[in-house]
Amino acid sequence: MSNINQAGSADEQQAPGALVEWEQRVAGYAGEPPFVEEPQRLSAIAAALKDAAIAAAIAAALFLFFIGFRTDIAIGGLDLSTRWQAFGTAIVVVFVGRLLFRILLWRPATKAGTRPLLLRAFGSGEGTPLSEHFARHSKSVGVVALVAAVLYPVIILALFPMKDKQFIDLGVLVLTYIMLGWGLNIVVGLAGLLDLGYVAFYAVGAYSFALFAQFFEVGFWFALPIAGILAACWGLILGFPVLRLRGDYLAIVTLAFGEIIRVVLLNWYTFTGGPNGISGIPDPTFFGLEFKRGAENLPGLLGIGYDSAYKQAYFFYIILALAMITNLVTLRLRKLPLGRAWEALREDEIACRSLGINTTNTKLTAFAIGAMFGGFAGAFFATRQGFISPESFTFMESALILAIVVLGGLGSQMGVVIASIVMIGGFELFRDFAEYRMLIFGLLMVIIMVWRPRGLIATREPSAILKERQTISADMVSQGEGH
């Protein structure tokens, strides 16, 4: 009680009303009214465990009939079987996922200034997020990534002789989606026009090369620019009717455009082959030399034995060159008045008009240039596959490319690279779990949207600089603000 008696100083007791306050404080130490003991709250770990248990119970109720029981068509009716192991695995995944979410990403509502554990781990001592540090050194990271890409086939051929073709083909697939993501990033990330039908330009490029090769017997390098030009023309055709549309209405029209192209390719049997597709598409040559067996072809002239992995490596370097051209052109355009007009259109179309910018031409150029790169990628896809059909150009392809752009960060070139590697490579990792691939894909997207709602690389540098170059946060970019 000596500490209690010393709780108030002499000056406090002499002040008017201080004696009453001091007596109430002493009574509070003793647990007497008017003070009420604060109820004991659960610890952070206990609260997280309770929340995870509730989520697991809800998941158990939902998954019981979706996963626990399975019906198959049998003779005379349906055959009912159970999958309790998969049912239990799903519940455990939900419990662990919710627990990790509460521990790493949860921000208590009663503590406004509290940052989640994972965000604190990815922030510097000054509070700068990891993505801003990454953006400041994007050039160095880009050089390292380019060197790694150039050496990738060499390393695979040397270290994985038994699976070299598989791994190089995976690298080709990732680079194809990187190029498609960079092309769509012009429309969505820079111009701010939501496009859900980008796969249509991909299909136009592929079928342009395939049809030219079938009817006119032209090679890949001759048909490549033609495929890009035709895709750009279709981008202009799409751009005209959507000039007055924005937001959800624009997305619906572009989605319909992509479906129209696919249905036309599917039903125009006499020209496109319909559902049978087009086969026998020629491979790209190297200065007129084909990559086939024989002394007169490229492997024979180089004095090396024919190996299909070498052919895959050649495809890898072709798509790497096309992707780097796409990146360099995009970066160059961002510094030109056209690129600044795209960004102005994205931030505020009304303000863009008030500055005297022709929004009609700005939208058309964004659609045309983005479609052109999609056409280039489509022509490469056709020569790589050797066979194309309308089933290769469904809405899911557009959704996947758009997810790469959004998850990587709108307007971020390096973000598209990271998102492509994670998503396309991740799809290959879950190939053995074909039934749950889309479920895992959706779960990962939800996690990314909660953790990084504006993408992995959510910062960028302004194209126009007044006094000092500063990195702009994505939170401010979306509002049309800057430093």
Side-chain angles (χ1 to χ4, degrees):
M1 294 296 294
S2 60
N3 295 333
I4 298 178
N5 294 331
Q6 296 175 0
S9 62
D11 295 337
E12 291 177 347
Q13 296 180 23
Q14 293 176 2
L19 180 59
V20 177
E21 181 182 354
W22 178 77
E23 290 178 350
Q24 291 178 347
R25 189 183 305 174
V26 172
Y29 285 122
E32 299 176 0
F35 294 95
V36 180
E37 294 183 359
E38 183 177 359
Q40 295 182 354
R41 297 181 179 178
L42 295 175
S43 63
I45 300 297
L49 289 172
K50 180 180 178 181
D51 185 72
I54 294 175
I58 297 175
L62 294 176
F63 293 160
L64 178 61
F65 297 101
F66 287 99
I67 300 179
F69 296 98
R70 178 177 178 175
T71 57
D72 297 309
I73 299 177
I75 300 176
L78 295 177
D79 182 22
L80 178 64
S81 60
T82 58
R83 298 183 296 177
W84 299 119
Q85 183 177 1
F87 175 69
T89 303
I91 296 176
V92 172
V93 169
V94 171
F95 178 84
V96 175
R98 184 64 182 180
L99 181 63
L100 293 177
F101 173 78
R102 281 294 301 254
I103 295 176
L104 300 178
L105 298 173
W106 187 263
R107 178 181 295 177
T110 57
K111 299 179 181 179
T114 304
R115 301 178 66 201
L117 178 62
L118 190 61
L119 296 185
R120 292 201 302 267
F122 279 86
S124 65
E126 296 80 13
T128 304
L130 179 65
S131 60
E132 294 191 15
H133 288 290
F134 189 90
R136 293 174 183 174
H137 303 88
S138 59
K139 292 183 179 180
S140 302
V141 175
V143 172
V144 174
L146 178 59
V147 173
V150 172
L151 297 178
Y152 177 79
V154 179
I155 296 175
I156 294 299
L157 290 172
L159 300 181
F160 303 96
M162 301 301 296
K163 294 186 176 181
D164 47 5
K165 185 178 179 180
Q166 176 185 352
F167 290 158
I168 295 176
D169 186 67
L170 177 59
V172 172
L173 184 63
V174 170
L175 282 175
T176 303
Y177 278 96
I178 288 175
M179 183 176 177
L180 290 170
W182 280 342
L184 184 59
N185 201 23
I186 296 176
V187 183
V188 179
L190 298 183
L193 304 172
L194 184 57
D195 188 356
L196 293 180
Y198 191 72
V199 72
F201 311 123
Y202 190 37
V204 168
Y207 270 87
S208 297
F209 169 51
L211 292 173
F212 269 97
Q214 184 181 35
F215 291 105
F216 301 102
E217 297 183 354
V218 299
F220 170 75
W221 297 110
F222 180 83
L224 179 64
I226 298 177
I229 293 173
L230 291 177
C233 292
W234 279 102
L236 293 176
I237 294 174
L238 171 63
F240 274 111
V242 303
L243 292 178
R244 297 182 180 274
L245 301 178
R246 284 179 288 181
D248 299 338
Y249 303 100
L250 175 63
I252 292 172
V253 172
T254 55
L255 173 61
F257 178 78
E259 286 301 302
I260 289 172
I261 295 294
R262 187 184 66 83
V263 172
V264 169
L265 295 176
L266 189 63
N267 293 310
W268 199 354
Y269 186 85
T270 57
F271 185 60
T272 64
N276 295 331
I278 301 175
S279 60
I281 302 174
D283 295 333
T285 60
F286 185 78
F287 293 101
L289 299 175
E290 296 183 358
F291 208 102
K292 297 180 179 179
R293 300 180 185 273
E296 70 281 1
N297 293 320
L298 183 61
L301 294 177
L302 295 178
I304 59 176
Y306 174 79
D307 191 344
S308 58
Y310 295 155
K311 182 179 178 180
Q312 291 299 117
Y314 181 48
F315 281 128
F316 181 91
Y317 286 117
I318 291 176
I319 189 59
L320 177 61
L322 293 175
M324 291 309 303
I325 292 174
T326 304
N327 183 41
L328 293 176
V329 171
T330 303
L331 294 178
R332 180 58 181 168
L333 288 175
R334 289 186 62 174
K335 297 179 181 179
L336 296 177
L338 177 60
R340 299 176 186 177
W342 287 341
E343 295 180 349
L345 179 67
R346 176 192 63 192
E347 303 300 338
D348 194 330
E349 184 173 349
I350 297 176
C352 184
R353 291 177 179 175
S354 66
L355 293 174
I357 298 175
N358 191 327
T359 56
T360 300
N361 294 341
T362 303
K363 290 181 179 180
L364 289 178
T365 54
F367 273 112
I369 296 177
M372 180 183 67
F373 292 125
F376 290 154
F380 173 80
F381 173 79
T383 189
R384 169 179 169 263
Q385 294 292 111
F387 167 80
I388 57 173
S389 64
E391 284 74 19
S392 301
F393 309 102
T394 60
F395 168 72
M396 285 306 300
E397 290 295 316
S398 290
L400 180 59
I401 300 169
L402 181 62
I404 288 173
V405 174
V406 174
L407 296 181
L410 295 179
S412 173
Q413 299 291 92
M414 188 56 64
V416 171
V417 176
I418 297 175
S420 299
I421 295 174
V422 172
M423 294 186 65
I424 305 304
F427 266 40
E428 294 300 318
L429 291 177
F430 291 105
R431 181 171 292 276
D432 295 335
F433 306 94
E435 296 183 14
Y436 308 106
R437 284 176 68 185
M438 297 309 299
L439 178 63
I440 297 172
F441 171 67
L443 178 62
L444 292 177
M445 288 192 65
V446 171
I447 293 175
I448 291 295
M449 288 293 98
V450 172
W451 174 44
R452 302 289 300 173
R454 301 187 185 276
L456 296 174
I457 309 298
T459 58
R460 69 173 182 86
E461 292 184 351
S463 301
I465 303 167
L466 180 60
K467 294 182 179 179
E468 181 183 358
R469 179 180 294 274
Q470 295 183 1
T471 302
I472 299 178
S473 173
D475 296 334
M476 304 186 71
V477 171
S478 63
Q479 303 292 335
E481 303 168 0
H483 291 313

